[in-house]
Amino acid sequence: MNLLRNSGLFVAAAALGAATFLASCSDEFLTPSVPSALTADALSSPAGIQGAIVGAYSQLSGRGSRFGSYNWVSGSIQGGDANKGTETGDFVAINEVVEYQLQTTSRLPSDKWNQNYNGAVAANAAINIALRSEDPTVTESFRNNMVGQGIFLRSHYFFELYKHFENFVYFDENTPALEYSTQPNMNMLDAVISDMARAVDLLPETQGALGMANRWAARTYHAKMLMFAGRYADALPILKDVMENGKTSGGADYQLLDNYSDVFNAEFDNNAESIFAIQAAANTGSVNNANYAFDLAHLQGTPIGGCCGFWQPSFDLVDSYRVDDDGLPFTDGSYRDPANRIASDLNVESADAFTVDGKPVDPRLDHGVGRRGIPYLDWGPHQGKAWIRDQAHGGPFSPKKFIYYSRQTGTLQDGSSWTSGYTAMNFNILRYADVLLLAAEAAAQTDDLDLAKDLVNMIRMRAANEDSWVKNDDGSNAANYQIGMYDSFDSKAEALEKVYFERKLELSNEGHRFFDLVRWDRAADFLPGYIDYEEQFLPLQFGNATFNANQDRFWPIPQTQIDLQQGVLTQNSGY
């Protein structure tokens, strides 16, 4: 639900027509257009500055692209939470990600590079408009807030570039715009971390619009960046402060929602668990304002969005939700053993009999995955193969977290475009469960094993709320749900193993997994086995997949950018 509308921000949006220069780049995405003096004067009012900031926020969604800052392909599919789904010939550019065969001329790296530099350029321009404004109605607190939001957003876009490319072009408000394209690409994570610390100092604790970043969002993001840099001892006290004192932009204390599925329901957008989210709105006259990334994830040939069957959860992910008699997961990888696999309807026609797996599973499975015989939100029981576009290619499971409910049709869903899968559901870039798990990881890394255990158990306690479990129409549990608590972590290695696995379960298909594997230095250990596991079920999709640890941890710098900035950019290793 888009709450950048509040407090006159859409009055300010009238200035956006004049502010299109903020992201109006040619193919040379680091060569922004330079505004005229008249345009700069028009933007220097409070409304104009806010409009420029809203323009920088708008780049979070990719503005018509299906990637933006969602990372459903680069984080989830590339990390093994899901496969491409659909069929081989649809959106073939994603096939290269599934197979770990990206090239320097591939579409997805180019899109990601361009989108994030559009955002960074827009944010930097907005910062400079705020800093240079001589409008007497621009107060110091207002200026600091706008500059803080601009630095927050610029840091986010650069962090996205770091996660995908490692080596990226960095600039700040002191870099002349015409010199962006002369800067070399290198690992500038430390500079981005420092910038986010500046945003913390500038931003207020609350905002007039829930969709805008506040001090606590910046503090959270700062800690997360420190975790990526391996600075666990620095991150932990910040994360503790966020847990003890953090508030949403509306002033509500951060906390886990009682019901896990409410995190993924547009009716509960901008809740106490949401720290920073891409805002979405339906029925505004343009589906670009909706959750544009996930229209393709809805179920092909059904009333549930109508198209297109992408982003199907993997066998590996589904089987990870198998639990033992104590309700604990098989973190040693034995969830892949034939005796522990969760029964599916692969190659079973919808008209043929199928029995839902009766062994114990973590209840979060059926909040994140659609599987045959289990209620699919309020659409009735999942019908199996009839609801899958091509089982032989994508498998038997459907995505569930970012699908709209039947009761939301026409209100929190937008049917005005070629497909009806556009929703008003926000996408959380940062949520409180992520904070708890990052803190658990930092605690384990600094040998506070009891704190790590307690934080993981907090996450699991929410999942143990029986009232939130998926139910059949008669009120009975839809499956054999069990979830237990950890009694102790007996070593640092065990604590990290449990924390890492809990992130997989809790944050599945939210765009984190691949980047977690890389920062833990576990991608080379996990992904080859994942490919082998999936290939036995889906040889059409995984038969050509090979993960090369010396190359595939990061994406290639787009060749078009190297050609445009001759002698400036350096290609990543292995490409």
Side-chain angles (χ1 to χ4, degrees):
M1 184 175 296
N2 193 330
L3 286 177
L4 290 177
R5 294 171 177 269
N6 291 357
S7 302
L9 286 181
F10 269 56
V11 174
L16 285 177
T20 52
F21 78 89
L22 295 175
S24 65
C25 307
S26 65
D27 287 341
E28 298 184 36
F29 282 86
L30 294 180
T31 308
S33 304
V34 180
S36 66
L38 177 62
T39 302
D41 289 343
L43 288 169
S44 67
S45 68
I49 295 168
Q50 283 186 315
I53 289 292
V54 170
Y57 274 100
S58 74
Q59 297 299 323
L60 292 169
S61 68
R63 300 305 299 159
S65 163
R66 291 187 173 81
F67 303 110
S69 296
Y70 301 97
N71 295 336
W72 63 280
V73 174
S74 57
S76 295
I77 292 177
Q78 193 172 219
D81 277 355
N83 63 64
K84 173 189 156 184
T86 185
E87 58 190 20
T88 305
D90 197 355
F91 213 144
V92 295
I94 300 177
N95 295 350
E96 295 177 325
V97 176
V98 175
E99 297 173 353
Y100 305 96
Q101 300 294 330
L102 286 171
Q103 306 297 314
T104 61
T105 55
S106 295
R107 169 184 168 180
L108 269 62
S110 182
D111 282 356
K112 194 68 177 178
W113 181 274
N114 295 342
Q115 290 157 9
N116 281 285
Y117 275 115
N118 275 341
V121 168
N124 217 40
I127 292 166
N128 277 310
I129 290 169
L131 287 172
R132 295 170 184 171
S133 173
E134 297 179 358
D135 190 308
T137 64
V138 174
T139 65
E140 195 64 20
S141 61
F142 175 84
R143 191 191 311 272
N144 286 341
N145 186 3
M146 295 298 107
V147 171
Q149 288 186 64
I151 293 173
F152 176 95
L153 291 168
R154 187 183 68 203
S155 300
H156 162 76
Y157 293 122
F158 282 151
F159 188 55
E160 283 290 290
L161 288 161
Y162 165 76
K163 289 192 300 182
H164 287 79
F165 301 99
E166 185 180 34
N167 300 301
F168 60 97
V169 176
Y170 172 85
F171 48 80
D172 64 16
E173 65 273 18
N174 298 310
T175 309
L178 294 179
E179 293 183 12
Y180 294 169
S181 60
T182 68
Q183 307 301 309
N185 61 313
M186 61 184 69
N187 185 338
M188 294 292 291
L189 179 59
D190 287 345
V192 177
I193 292 172
S194 296
D195 278 352
M196 190 58 81
R198 290 176 57 205
V200 172
D201 292 338
L202 290 167
L203 287 168
E205 186 165 89
T206 60
Q207 293 282 14
L210 294 182
M212 286 190 155
N214 67 348
R215 178 177 300 154
W216 292 106
R219 197 144 169 77
T220 301
Y221 220 149
H222 183 219
K224 185 160 190 171
M225 292 175 178
L226 290 169
M227 294 293 290
F228 270 73
R231 294 168 57 182
Y232 309 113
D234 293 333
L236 185 55
I238 299 173
L239 292 164
K240 286 181 176 179
D241 186 30
V242 171
M243 292 187 293
E244 293 170 5
N245 302 302
K247 299 179 184 299
T248 69
S249 289
D253 292 340
Y254 289 148
Q255 61 182 358
L256 297 175
L257 298 186
D258 291 338
N259 188 336
Y260 181 69
S261 66
D262 288 348
V263 178
F264 315 102
N265 183 337
E267 296 163 19
F268 299 93
D269 278 351
N270 296 304
N271 54 63
E273 189 166 341
S274 178
I275 295 176
F276 181 62
I278 302 175
Q279 302 291 304
N283 305 304
T284 64
S286 172
V287 293
N288 282 343
N289 296 320
N291 188 325
Y292 197 92
F294 303 142
D295 63 324
L296 301 181
H298 287 72
L299 278 57
Q300 176 83 5
T302 76
I304 310 169
C307 189
C308 295
F310 282 77
W311 198 17
Q312 291 181 237
S314 66
F315 286 91
D316 180 89
L317 177 69
V318 170
D319 291 341
S320 295
Y321 287 96
R322 173 68 78 205
V323 297
D324 63 19
D325 291 339
D326 295 321
L328 297 173
F330 294 92
T331 60
D332 62 355
S334 60
Y335 63 85
R336 292 178 179 171
D337 292 350
N340 291 330
R341 293 175 186 166
I342 294 174
S344 78
D345 65 321
L346 183 66
N347 299 322
V348 178
E349 299 296 328
S350 292
D352 295 338
F354 173 76
T355 301
V356 172
D357 189 294
K359 295 179 182 178
V361 296
D362 186 307
R364 288 171 290 186
L365 167 63
D366 291 327
H367 289 306
V369 176
R371 56 190 184 115
R372 181 170 172 181
I374 303 294
Y376 192 73
L377 304 177
D378 61 350
W379 295 97
H382 193 287
Q383 297 300 299
K385 192 174 182 180
W387 281 11
I388 302 294
R389 184 167 180 178
D390 184 356
Q391 257 202 9
H393 185 261
F397 307 115
S398 298
K400 199 171 186 179
K401 282 186 173 179
F402 300 103
I403 305 298
Y404 67 93
Y405 288 73
S406 175
R407 65 177 180 267
Q408 296 169 347
T409 302
T411 55
L412 297 175
Q413 169 270 346
D414 193 324
S416 65
S417 188
W418 67 279
T419 184
S420 57
Y422 298 98
T423 76
M425 189 189 310
N426 290 352
F427 177 81
N428 288 310
I429 293 173
L430 298 170
R431 66 180 177 96
Y432 190 56
D434 191 5
V435 170
L436 296 178
L437 290 169
L438 289 171
E441 181 182 339
Q445 289 283 9
T446 55
D447 298 309
D448 191 341
L449 305 188
D450 286 339
L451 177 58
K453 169 186 66 71
D454 291 344
L455 291 170
V456 170
N457 280 343
M458 283 180 64
I459 297 289
R460 296 179 67 78
M461 281 295 295
R462 191 257 296 273
N465 175 12
E466 294 188 25
D467 291 339
S468 72
W469 293 354
V470 176
K471 308 289 185 183
N472 295 313
D473 287 342
D474 63 3
S476 62
N477 293 331
N480 181 5
Y481 301 127
Q482 294 185 35
I483 187 163
M485 303 299 126
Y486 290 107
D487 293 330
S488 65
F489 292 161
D490 296 330
S491 68
K492 178 177 178 177
E494 180 191 359
L496 288 172
E497 180 181 272
K498 306 303 186 190
V499 171
Y500 293 166
F501 207 85
E502 198 66 27
R503 283 187 68 83
K504 181 181 185 180
L505 300 176
E506 173 70 18
L507 304 174
S508 67
N509 275 315
E510 296 179 45
H512 301 284
R513 179 65 174 166
F514 181 77
F515 307 114
D516 280 345
L517 290 170
V518 170
R519 72 182 178 87
W520 297 331
D521 198 22
R522 291 194 167 197
D525 295 328
F526 174 78
L527 290 172
Y530 160 75
I531 292 168
D532 290 343
Y533 192 66
E534 298 298 306
E535 186 180 2
Q536 66 183 313
F537 305 110
L538 303 175
L540 290 177
Q541 189 162 177
F542 288 91
N544 294 321
T546 303
F547 181 77
N548 180 349
N550 294 323
Q551 170 182 295
D552 297 326
R553 294 169 65 252
F554 296 100
W555 283 8
I557 308 300
Q559 189 61 45
T560 53
Q561 298 303 311
I562 291 177
D563 293 342
L564 286 166
Q565 297 168 249
Q566 293 182 12
V568 176
L569 302 182
T570 303
Q571 186 56 266
N572 279 337
S573 176
Y575 293 99

